[in-house]
Amino acid sequence: EFRIVTLREELQFIQNLNQSTGRTAGIYPEIKQPAWHRDEDCDLSRIVLSIVDEFGYNQRQSHCYVQCFDEFEVRRIRNELGYTGKLIQLITAGHDTVSGTNYQRLMSAEGLAELAQYADGIGPNLNLIVNWDEAGIAHPEPLTDNAHACGLALHPWTIRADALPANCPSLDAMVKTLLDLGIDGVFSDHPDQVIESV
């Protein structure tokens, strides 16, 4: 019989590991499709935040970031649900017709300034941070500087050793470029290789 591990069970596991190893591994839960869940009579954000709170991940100094693609839900998490921990607005290209999130607007100077009033940072797709030409030369986009100017942290996603962006010569080149740009964190499916490249 196979069971799906609950969030509560996973957080207990992580906290037990932290205690037994003397290390501090944080958490980065994502609220997935909150509008769809509410249509199904499930307030996913409220449920997740209550469990996060139960385990003490509810302050700015907590080793936790809560993330979501839905800009209206990110605002709701901070303002209506009163979450006081770190909050990240995930960003991709275009416009999400389900939630109504306009990512192009969020990346504008006005959008970033607005985000900074309730979010601690953004999690943009890697291609919104840097692109590579056919010679393997990196060409940074202005998003990193613009977000930092508003006091927002940047945690781009997702570095994969087996699926690098077009024309990116290596994982090492990607990591070095992101560090040179001053990004604050990164998502990776291969964290061991990212750490070796730092």
Side-chain angles (χ1 to χ4, degrees), residues 101-191:
T101 302
N102 183 333
Y103 298 109
Q104 293 307 120
R105 187 190 70 79
L106 287 180
M107 290 186 287
S108 70
E110 178 184 340
L112 290 169
E114 185 180 308
L115 268 173
Q117 295 177 27
Y118 55 89
D120 297 283
I122 60 173
N125 182 290
L126 279 173
N127 293 329
L128 301 174
I129 297 291
V130 61
N131 286 285
W132 305 78
D133 64 24
E134 292 182 2
I137 305 298
H139 297 277
E141 300 293 337
L143 182 57
T144 301
D145 288 342
N146 293 345
H148 279 158
C150 292
L152 293 164
L154 269 92
H155 299 166
W157 51 272
T158 298
I159 295 180
R160 292 181 51 97
D162 59 346
L164 292 168
N167 300 315
C168 177
S170 67
L171 185 140
D172 286 347
M174 172 58 76
V175 172
K176 181 182 184 310
T177 299
L178 292 176
L179 288 174
D180 288 347
L181 288 173
I183 59 101
D184 306 285
V186 66
F187 289 93
S188 178
D189 290 341
H190 304 99

Side-chain angles (χ1 to χ4, degrees), residues 22-192:
R23 299 177 67 185
T24 303
I27 63 169
Y28 214 130
E30 180 181 349
I31 309 295
K32 296 269 194 181
Q33 298 292 335
W36 180 88
H37 280 91
R38 277 201 306 279
D39 286 345
E40 299 296 316
D41 295 322
C42 175
D43 190 341
L44 190 60
S45 293
R46 195 177 294 276
I47 293 167
V48 169
L49 292 179
S50 70
I51 296 170
V52 165
D53 182 68
E54 178 184 329
F55 284 85
Y57 295 109
N58 53 6
Q59 301 298 319
R60 291 292 167 103
Q61 67 271 21
S62 301
H63 296 283
C64 172
Y65 290 89
V66 173
Q67 61 181 326
C68 187
F69 276 102
D70 183 334
E71 71 168 300
F72 305 102
E73 194 68 9
V74 172
R75 191 179 293 118
R76 175 176 178 258
I77 288 168
R78 179 70 78 213
N79 298 334
E80 181 183 327
L81 301 181
Y83 181 64
T84 55
K86 296 185 283 272
L87 192 54
I88 299 291
Q89 171 69 58
L90 294 172
I91 295 180
T92 189
H95 185 270
D96 179 15
T97 56
V98 175
S99 70
T101 302
N102 183 333
Y103 298 109
Q104 293 307 120
R105 187 190 70 79
L106 287 180
M107 290 186 287
S108 70
E110 178 184 340
L112 290 169
E114 185 180 308
L115 268 173
Q117 295 177 27
Y118 55 89
D120 297 283
I122 60 173
N125 182 290
L126 279 173
N127 293 329
L128 301 174
I129 297 291
V130 61
N131 286 285
W132 305 78
D133 64 24
E134 292 182 2
I137 305 298
H139 297 277
E141 300 293 337
L143 182 57
T144 301
D145 288 342
N146 293 345
H148 279 158
C150 292
L152 293 164
L154 269 92
H155 299 166
W157 51 272
T158 298
I159 295 180
R160 292 181 51 97
D162 59 346
L164 292 168
N167 300 315
C168 177
S170 67
L171 185 140
D172 286 347
M174 172 58 76
V175 172
K176 181 182 184 310
T177 299
L178 292 176
L179 288 174
D180 288 347
L181 288 173
I183 59 101
D184 306 285
V186 66
F187 289 93
S188 178
D189 290 341
H190 304 99
D192 55 331

